[in-house]
Amino acid sequence: MANSRFEYVKSYERDDSLLPGTYIVVRIDGRGFHRLSKRYEFTKPNDLRALELMNESAASVMNQISDIVLAYGDSDEYSFVFKRSTQFFGRRECKLVSTVCSVFTACYVYSWSKHFACALESDMLPSFDSRAVLYPSSKELRDYLSWRQADCHINNLYNTTFWALVLKKGLSEKDANKALEGTFSSDKNELLFSEFGINYNNEPEIFRKGTVLVKTQPVQSIENTMSERQKARATHKNAKIEIEQLHCDIIGNDFWEERAYILE
Amino acid sequence: MANSRFEYVKSYERDDSLLPGTYIVVRIDGRGFHRLSKRYEFTKPNDLRALELMNESAASVMNQISDIVLAYGDSDEYSFVFKRSTQFFGRRECKLVSTVCSVFTACYVYSWSKHFACALESDMLPSFDSRAVLYPSSKELRDYLSWRQADCHINNLYNTTFWALVLKKGLSEKDANKALEGTFSSDKNELLFSEFGINYNNEPEIFRKGTVLVKTQPVQSIENTMSERQKARATHKNAKIEIEQLHCDIIGNDFWEERAYILE
Amino acid sequence: MANSRFEYVKSYERDDSLLPGTYIVVRIDGRGFHRLSKRYEFTKPNDLRALELMNESAASVMNQISDIVLAYGDSDEYSFVFKRSTQFFGRRECKLVSTVCSVFTACYVYSWSKHFACALESDMLPSFDSRAVLYPSSKELRDYLSWRQADCHINNLYNTTFWALVLKKGLSEKDANKALEGTFSSDKNELLFSEFGINYNNEPEIFRKGTVLVKTQPVQSIENTMSERQKARATHKNAKIEIEQLHCDIIGNDFWEERAYILE
Amino acid sequence: MANSRFEYVKSYERDDSLLPGTYIVVRIDGRGFHRLSKRYEFTKPNDLRALELMNESAASVMNQISDIVLAYGDSDEYSFVFKRSTQFFGRRECKLVSTVCSVFTACYVYSWSKHFACALESDMLPSFDSRAVLYPSSKELRDYLSWRQADCHINNLYNTTFWALVLKKGLSEKDANKALEGTFSSDKNELLFSEFGINYNNEPEIFRKGTVLVKTQPVQSIENTMSERQKARATHKNAKIEIEQLHCDIIGNDFWEERAYILE
């Protein structure tokens, strides 16, 4: 059978390779996780099992794609940063975006049972979508990550207060929502402390700061800087690389000054 | 914490919505399935369990995304055709490509154990990549699907002959390769028949034609055309839609004339 | 001098070739023609010299780029339709858009003195910008052209009434504007007739319909359809092709049925 | 007449705004200047009139588009560099590319008669095409400009030698071509000197280096650096800005260190 008379349709594929010399960020987001978190009874405001499953899935992406130098995640989203010079998949947008998303999904579904006692049900499997964004300089890349971490903080402070009102004070979700309308961060901090004895700053860092995954430097150089590192970390190992898991501030300069190698 | 000073980074996201009035095809491809099929010992030249897992995963994509009107798959690839007027995700390329890929992957990993006795291993999970292509007219769309089905035929005839030489005649893979160099379809048909008593045309249609998934019309109209349909089919059901699974020719006109509604 | 160490910068050029199998429309628009028409004292509401200069420039574009099958223009804009299968410049968007715009501009500046007694001044030379839009089917392409011709009609009816109020009735531009606020087409037709004795339908077709440029068929086939053609036309000739200039309706079917060859 | 039922066609326009935070370079190229330079009898290897007309046209582009901070040209091409933060035309690629090209063309045609004694002929008007390229950092932007200037040098050395062989030694163009096949820069320098007494380094800088146009800083700061500047320059003035014309090296650091403000 001659395939050649149909082969012209291949010419309809467009070249979607991304501008060289820029940082590629691929961000995945959970699809319908509001509904999904209800079905599988995620604890509120944060479900540690779910976060750890996200982190494990993100680490598996980093393990498989060596040009990813950093990942940052919180809630049901994760951002993956490719090094500026990456030629992975010829920088083709769809390939990058779909591969990251698929590898993440595969690990999330596969490892679910390690973290959750309840089984996944076929009519509500977790899935994600993803997109790519380019940042020309390290300044813009850092601002992107700061944006996501600030967003994590804002959402977590809100959710912590909201669920305290619902779960501890017995308000309806509607009333809790109303109670928080127009409040500032300081109001929520105050409310948490005065009504529930919660000092927000003592909440776990994984909730307040999200999770940062970085690849460690070659062993020698790592040892030298070992003492400067934050304590809250775990390590995913494989033959080739070591991934460090942190829950630290990435808005300020400290994190970056200690790891200048990340942005080359 | 003020998020506003970082929010400008959102302006770096590009609008990737696809040209209206065109058929969107999203094609997923297995990543490293050569290695994966060895690890999990897929039967050669075709593993029916693997094909059925592909088909089930494709059906779950069609169930979740109502604007997909047809899917065609063989081996480790699947093409999903969106109706021309779809506004799903605002036709945004990355959203479409990543969502299809993620939903497919989730089902593939989740349903693996239904089809395979051996368990998946964490260091080799299946994953896929995907891309989108636009076809302006039904002529080009049909030629695209013909291209994939012709490709399925060419590969399957080759693989059937190759593995007969290896498994039945005891040739090394290298020698089998050599034996087939420069041969035409007719040579392979002849070789299969004379050496192995295999009439290629009697091989299962799912191997020779691949799999077509279509959404059936409203029940009444279906009944009227029931008798005209090919026998080889299975039906995936859910509350809303019914998906018909076929292994028929989609290069000729018959398939399309019976289902004019597919291309509107 | 080694050029090779800089040549990597070429890899930053993106492939901007436009989807095959679609009609490419390149539309040019005058830049700052409001100010320019004041400086060079264009007659109001329409300046025939300016329109003829536009038409001559458009014809020169069609003469140089053989894959343009139709052009439509009015006021300070012109749309050029490439045949669906064009491979001109490999369908590269920037090449197409800039070339059409430059050839048009060159002719406009060069031929100015043929149409206007006053000379161009170096601090206000005419210039244009342009864009490309794709239409997948002839239905959408015709709707695009209908959109532009309907727009021509709406603007011309407004301008005809507006300038009658200003030039014949002595209203200020501000008062004329106010007088027309919220009026319908029928109101303007009525106003033109009752106050100024103008039957809008008797206004010149070049003002009401704009200008259509089409390439004529090979001579034999032309002769057969000669009698059916509209009278209002002029012919630009060169060695290879003949361009017909019309001021007819292109919203209805007649124009297209007589010239089925245009859309292939 | 209702325009609304056609207006949907506007939704087929794509957003082509270019990635923020990058340098936009728009480069124009003469179309068919080989033929055009024969028709209008440009002197070989360089026609000073043609170069000056190019430079005047480029200056008119810079005058009209204030966000262009530098332009570099030689032969029949010119590159325009927009400042990194430009929001001109919302960074829309087609608008930028077509406007630069049209303004350049308008000036080139308009000013022709100032530079050439012979008149333009309607069947061969000059025109240009253009493209846009993005550079994320000043390093890459400088390498782009170095690439163009190195290219100018390579071409000019070749052309100078080629036309010496043809015009002074009487070789046919074919034989001159052959004589230069496989030669290095040093060979051409040697040949020019030994056969024609030409010291290539004494050739006019406008030929060897091309032309750089920069906008001068506010007057005070300019005065301070006045003495450091190269002599070969001319100034195009208008009310708002002053453009300096240079024929200096832009590959080394000196040019850029003296004008740090150009790249912000």
Side-chain angles (χ1 to χ4, degrees):
Chain A
M1 189 186 300
N3 204 354
S4 55
R5 74 183 157 111
F6 302 128
E7 232 163 345
Y8 79 92
V9 298
K10 223 177 129 46
S11 70
Y12 286 67
E13 296 180 9
R14 306 288 80 201
D15 175 6
D16 66 345
S17 57
L18 296 167
L19 185 67
T22 56
Y23 294 102
I24 301 171
V25 175
V26 173
R27 181 170 79 244
I28 63 141
D29 280 285
R31 295 184 61 237
F33 264 53
H34 192 70
R35 250 165 25 103
L36 187 129
S37 68
K38 286 205 168 156
R39 167 77 76 94
Y40 297 114
E41 299 179 342
F42 284 19
T43 57
K44 294 292 180 183
N46 290 288
D47 189 308
L48 197 56
R49 301 166 300 174
L51 293 177
E52 282 170 351
L53 178 51
M54 290 290 289
N55 294 341
E56 181 178 347
S57 304
S60 99
V61 170
M62 282 185 91
N63 267 319
Q64 282 193 44
I65 304 178
S66 62
D67 281 359
I68 297 176
V69 293
L70 180 147
Y72 173 78
D74 75 282
S75 183
D76 63 344
E77 73 167 58
Y78 238 102
S79 297
F80 297 91
V81 180
F82 286 78
K83 69 176 181 187
R84 183 145 46 173
S85 59
T86 188
Q87 286 303 325
F88 188 61
F89 275 138
R91 303 177 71 92
R92 287 156 64 193
E93 186 170 25
C94 285
K95 283 272 190 186
L96 290 168
V97 151
S98 60
T99 299
V100 167
C101 197
S102 180
V103 171
F104 192 96
T105 304
C107 184
Y108 195 96
V109 172
Y110 176 81
S111 298
W112 175 274
S113 61
K114 245 197 282 179
H115 300 272
F116 286 89
C118 64
L120 284 172
E121 290 156 28
S122 68
D123 67 330
M124 197 176 281
L125 298 179
S127 65
F128 299 84
D129 63 47
S130 63
R131 80 193 68 200
V133 196
L134 300 181
Y135 292 106
S137 74
S138 56
K139 156 98 175 58
E140 291 145 329
L141 176 67
R142 281 190 52 185
D143 285 347
Y144 169 80
L145 293 166
S146 297
W147 178 51
R148 298 324 300 145
Q149 191 169 53
D151 200 62
C152 166
H153 167 76
I154 291 164
N155 290 333
N156 190 59
L157 177 57
Y158 184 93
N159 291 336
T160 303
T161 320
F162 176 87
W163 289 104
L165 290 171
V166 171
L167 299 175
K168 299 187 177 165
K169 206 181 170 183
L171 263 63
S172 72
E173 297 195 13
K174 205 179 146 188
D175 286 345
N177 233 323
K178 217 170 192 171
L180 294 176
E181 232 171 277
T183 58
F184 293 103
S185 287
S186 53
D187 302 323
K188 295 189 198 80
N189 273 305
E190 174 62 23
L191 193 155
L192 279 173
F193 191 72
S194 60
E195 296 224 25
F196 307 104
I198 295 172
N199 183 338
Y200 181 73
N201 288 326
N202 294 340
E203 289 291 290
E205 287 202 304
I206 189 173
F207 299 160
R208 290 188 293 117
K209 302 287 187 196
T211 300
V212 190
L213 301 180
V214 287
K215 285 172 178 164
T216 54
Q217 286 179 291
V219 178
Q220 288 94 329
S221 40
I222 284 173
E223 275 164 355
N224 299 336
T225 60
M226 209 63 158
S227 56
E228 301 156 15
R229 294 232 176 83
Q230 296 229 0
K231 296 283 131 58
R233 78 186 169 212
T235 304
H236 300 268
K237 283 182 188 181
N238 76 354
K240 283 168 303 184
I241 54 159
E242 238 176 273
I243 292 170
E244 203 184 0
Q245 180 175 310
L246 307 162
H247 310 291
C248 63
D249 176 81
I250 56 172
I251 297 179
N253 291 325
D254 289 0
F255 173 86
W256 300 100
E257 282 165 5
E258 287 170 26
R259 292 169 189 79
Y261 66 91
I262 291 177
L263 305 182
E264 289 153 294
Chain B
M1 189 186 302
N3 204 353
S4 54
R5 74 183 157 110
F6 301 129
E7 234 162 344
Y8 78 94
V9 297
K10 224 178 129 45
S11 70
Y12 285 67
E13 296 180 9
R14 306 288 81 200
D15 175 7
D16 65 345
S17 57
L18 297 167
L19 186 66
T22 55
Y23 294 102
I24 301 171
V25 175
V26 173
R27 181 171 79 243
I28 64 141
D29 281 285
R31 296 182 62 237
F33 263 53
H34 192 71
R35 249 164 26 104
L36 187 129
S37 68
K38 287 206 166 151
R39 167 78 75 94
Y40 297 115
E41 299 178 343
F42 285 20
T43 58
K44 293 294 179 184
N46 289 288
D47 189 309
L48 196 56
R49 302 164 300 173
L51 293 177
E52 282 170 352
L53 178 52
M54 291 291 289
N55 293 341
E56 181 179 347
S57 304
S60 100
V61 171
M62 281 186 92
N63 268 318
Q64 281 192 44
I65 304 179
S66 62
D67 281 359
I68 297 176
V69 293
L70 181 147
Y72 172 79
D74 75 283
S75 183
D76 64 344
E77 73 166 58
Y78 238 103
S79 297
F80 298 91
V81 180
F82 286 77
K83 68 176 184 188
R84 181 143 50 171
S85 59
T86 189
Q87 287 303 323
F88 188 61
F89 276 138
R91 302 177 72 92
R92 286 155 64 191
E93 185 170 26
C94 285
K95 284 272 191 187
L96 291 168
V97 150
S98 60
T99 299
V100 166
C101 198
S102 180
V103 171
F104 192 96
T105 304
C107 183
Y108 195 97
V109 173
Y110 176 81
S111 299
W112 174 273
S113 60
K114 246 197 280 180
H115 300 272
F116 286 89
C118 64
L120 285 172
E121 289 156 29
S122 69
D123 67 330
M124 198 177 279
L125 298 180
S127 65
F128 300 84
D129 63 47
S130 63
R131 79 192 69 199
V133 196
L134 299 181
Y135 292 107
S137 75
S138 55
K139 155 101 175 57
E140 291 145 330
L141 176 67
R142 280 191 52 186
D143 285 348
Y144 169 81
L145 293 166
S146 298
W147 178 50
R148 298 324 301 146
Q149 192 169 52
D151 200 61
C152 167
H153 167 76
I154 291 164
N155 290 333
N156 190 59
L157 177 56
Y158 184 92
N159 291 337
T160 304
T161 319
F162 176 88
W163 288 104
L165 291 171
V166 172
L167 300 175
K168 299 187 178 165
K169 206 182 170 182
L171 263 63
S172 71
E173 297 195 13
K174 205 179 145 188
D175 287 344
N177 233 324
K178 217 168 190 173
L180 295 177
E181 231 172 277
T183 58
F184 293 104
S185 288
S186 53
D187 303 323
K188 295 189 199 79
N189 272 307
E190 176 62 23
L191 193 156
L192 279 173
F193 191 72
S194 60
E195 296 223 25
F196 307 103
I198 296 172
N199 184 338
Y200 182 73
N201 289 326
N202 294 340
E203 289 292 290
E205 287 202 303
I206 188 173
F207 298 161
R208 290 188 294 117
K209 302 288 188 197
T211 299
V212 189
L213 302 179
V214 286
K215 285 172 178 165
T216 54
Q217 286 179 292
V219 179
Q220 288 93 329
S221 39
I222 284 172
E223 277 163 354
N224 298 336
T225 61
M226 208 64 158
S227 57
E228 302 158 15
R229 293 234 176 81
Q230 297 229 0
K231 297 283 131 58
R233 79 188 168 210
T235 304
H236 299 267
K237 283 180 189 183
N238 76 353
K240 285 168 303 186
I241 55 158
E242 240 175 90
I243 291 170
E244 203 183 0
Q245 180 175 309
L246 306 162
H247 311 291
C248 63
D249 175 80
I250 55 173
I251 297 178
N253 291 325
D254 289 359
F255 173 86
W256 300 101
E257 282 164 6
E258 287 169 26
R259 293 169 190 79
Y261 66 92
I262 290 176
L263 305 182
E264 290 154 294
Chain C
M1 190 186 302
N3 204 355
S4 54
R5 74 182 158 113
F6 302 128
E7 233 162 346
Y8 78 93
V9 298
K10 225 179 129 46
S11 69
Y12 286 67
E13 296 181 8
R14 305 289 82 199
D15 176 6
D16 66 344
S17 57
L18 296 166
L19 186 67
T22 55
Y23 294 102
I24 302 171
V25 175
V26 173
R27 181 170 79 244
I28 64 142
D29 280 285
R31 295 182 63 236
F33 263 53
H34 191 73
R35 248 165 27 104
L36 186 130
S37 68
K38 286 205 168 154
R39 167 79 75 93
Y40 297 114
E41 299 178 342
F42 284 21
T43 57
K44 292 295 179 180
N46 290 288
D47 188 307
L48 197 56
R49 301 166 301 174
L51 293 177
E52 283 171 350
L53 178 51
M54 290 292 287
N55 294 341
E56 180 178 347
S57 304
S60 99
V61 171
M62 283 185 91
N63 267 319
Q64 281 192 44
I65 304 178
S66 61
D67 281 358
I68 297 176
V69 292
L70 181 146
Y72 172 78
D74 74 282
S75 184
D76 63 345
E77 73 167 58
Y78 238 101
S79 297
F80 298 90
V81 180
F82 286 78
K83 69 176 181 186
R84 184 144 47 170
S85 59
T86 187
Q87 287 302 327
F88 188 61
F89 275 138
R91 302 176 71 90
R92 287 157 62 193
E93 186 170 25
C94 284
K95 282 272 190 187
L96 290 169
V97 151
S98 61
T99 299
V100 167
C101 197
S102 180
V103 171
F104 192 96
T105 304
C107 183
Y108 195 97
V109 172
Y110 175 81
S111 298
W112 174 275
S113 61
K114 248 199 277 179
H115 300 271
F116 286 89
C118 63
L120 284 172
E121 290 156 28
S122 68
D123 67 331
M124 197 175 281
L125 298 180
S127 65
F128 300 84
D129 63 48
S130 64
R131 79 192 69 200
V133 196
L134 299 181
Y135 292 106
S137 75
S138 57
K139 155 99 174 58
E140 291 145 329
L141 176 68
R142 280 190 51 186
D143 284 348
Y144 170 81
L145 293 166
S146 296
W147 177 51
R148 299 323 302 148
Q149 191 169 54
D151 200 63
C152 166
H153 166 77
I154 291 164
N155 290 334
N156 190 59
L157 177 56
Y158 184 94
N159 290 337
T160 304
T161 320
F162 176 89
W163 288 105
L165 291 171
V166 172
L167 300 175
K168 299 186 177 164
K169 205 179 170 185
L171 263 63
S172 72
E173 297 194 13
K174 205 180 144 188
D175 287 345
N177 234 323
K178 218 169 193 174
L180 294 177
E181 232 171 278
T183 58
F184 294 104
S185 288
S186 54
D187 302 323
K188 296 188 198 78
N189 272 305
E190 175 63 23
L191 193 155
L192 279 174
F193 191 72
S194 61
E195 295 223 26
F196 306 105
I198 295 172
N199 184 337
Y200 181 73
N201 290 325
N202 294 341
E203 289 291 291
E205 287 203 303
I206 188 173
F207 299 160
R208 290 188 294 116
K209 302 287 187 196
T211 299
V212 190
L213 301 180
V214 286
K215 284 171 178 166
T216 54
Q217 287 179 290
V219 178
Q220 288 93 329
S221 41
I222 285 173
E223 275 164 355
N224 299 336
T225 59
M226 209 63 160
S227 56
E228 299 156 14
R229 293 236 177 79
Q230 297 229 359
K231 298 285 133 54
R233 79 185 171 213
T235 304
H236 299 267
K237 283 181 191 184
N238 75 353
K240 286 166 302 188
I241 55 159
E242 240 175 89
I243 292 171
E244 202 184 2
Q245 179 175 310
L246 307 163
H247 310 291
C248 62
D249 176 79
I250 56 173
I251 296 178
N253 292 325
D254 289 0
F255 173 85
W256 299 100
E257 282 164 7
E258 286 170 26
R259 292 169 190 81
Y261 65 92
I262 290 177
L263 304 182
E264 289 154 289
Chain D
M1 188 186 300
N3 204 354
S4 54
R5 74 181 159 112
F6 301 129
E7 233 161 346
Y8 78 92
V9 298
K10 225 179 127 47
S11 70
Y12 286 67
E13 296 181 8
R14 305 289 81 197
D15 175 7
D16 66 344
S17 57
L18 297 166
L19 186 67
T22 56
Y23 294 102
I24 301 171
V25 174
V26 173
R27 181 171 78 244
I28 65 143
D29 280 286
R31 295 182 61 236
F33 263 52
H34 192 72
R35 248 164 27 103
L36 186 130
S37 68
K38 285 206 168 154
R39 168 78 76 93
Y40 297 114
E41 299 178 342
F42 283 20
T43 57
K44 294 293 179 184
N46 290 288
D47 188 308
L48 197 56
R49 301 164 302 172
L51 293 178
E52 282 170 351
L53 178 50
M54 290 292 287
N55 295 341
E56 180 178 348
S57 304
S60 100
V61 170
M62 282 186 91
N63 267 318
Q64 281 192 45
I65 304 178
S66 62
D67 281 359
I68 297 175
V69 292
L70 180 147
Y72 172 78
D74 74 282
S75 185
D76 64 346
E77 73 166 58
Y78 238 102
S79 298
F80 297 91
V81 180
F82 286 76
K83 69 177 181 187
R84 182 143 48 169
S85 59
T86 188
Q87 287 302 326
F88 187 61
F89 275 138
R91 302 177 71 91
R92 287 158 62 194
E93 185 171 24
C94 284
K95 283 272 191 185
L96 290 168
V97 150
S98 61
T99 299
V100 166
C101 197
S102 180
V103 171
F104 192 97
T105 304
C107 183
Y108 195 96
V109 173
Y110 176 81
S111 299
W112 174 274
S113 60
K114 246 199 279 180
H115 300 272
F116 286 89
C118 63
L120 284 171
E121 289 155 30
S122 68
D123 68 331
M124 196 174 282
L125 298 180
S127 65
F128 300 84
D129 63 48
S130 62
R131 80 193 66 199
V133 196
L134 299 181
Y135 292 106
S137 74
S138 56
K139 155 97 174 60
E140 291 144 330
L141 175 67
R142 279 190 52 185
D143 284 348
Y144 169 81
L145 293 166
S146 297
W147 177 50
R148 298 323 303 146
Q149 191 168 53
D151 200 63
C152 166
H153 167 77
I154 290 164
N155 291 333
N156 190 59
L157 177 57
Y158 184 94
N159 291 337
T160 304
T161 320
F162 177 88
W163 287 105
L165 290 171
V166 172
L167 300 175
K168 298 188 177 164
K169 203 178 173 185
L171 264 63
S172 70
E173 297 195 11
K174 204 179 146 188
D175 287 344
N177 234 322
K178 216 168 194 173
L180 294 177
E181 232 172 280
T183 57
F184 294 103
S185 288
S186 53
D187 302 323
K188 295 189 199 79
N189 272 305
E190 175 63 24
L191 194 155
L192 278 174
F193 191 72
S194 60
E195 294 224 24
F196 306 104
I198 295 173
N199 184 338
Y200 181 72
N201 290 324
N202 294 341
E203 290 292 290
E205 289 202 302
I206 189 172
F207 299 161
R208 291 187 295 118
K209 302 287 187 196
T211 299
V212 189
L213 301 180
V214 286
K215 284 171 178 165
T216 53
Q217 286 180 291
V219 178
Q220 287 93 330
S221 40
I222 285 174
E223 275 164 354
N224 298 336
T225 59
M226 209 63 162
S227 55
E228 300 156 14
R229 292 236 176 78
Q230 298 230 358
K231 298 285 133 56
R233 79 189 168 208
T235 303
H236 300 267
K237 284 182 190 185
N238 76 351
K240 285 168 303 187
I241 54 158
E242 239 176 273
I243 293 171
E244 202 184 359
Q245 180 175 310
L246 306 163
H247 310 291
C248 62
D249 175 81
I250 56 174
I251 297 178
N253 291 324
D254 289 0
F255 173 85
W256 300 100
E257 282 165 5
E258 287 170 26
R259 292 169 190 80
Y261 66 92
I262 290 178
L263 305 183
E264 287 153 295

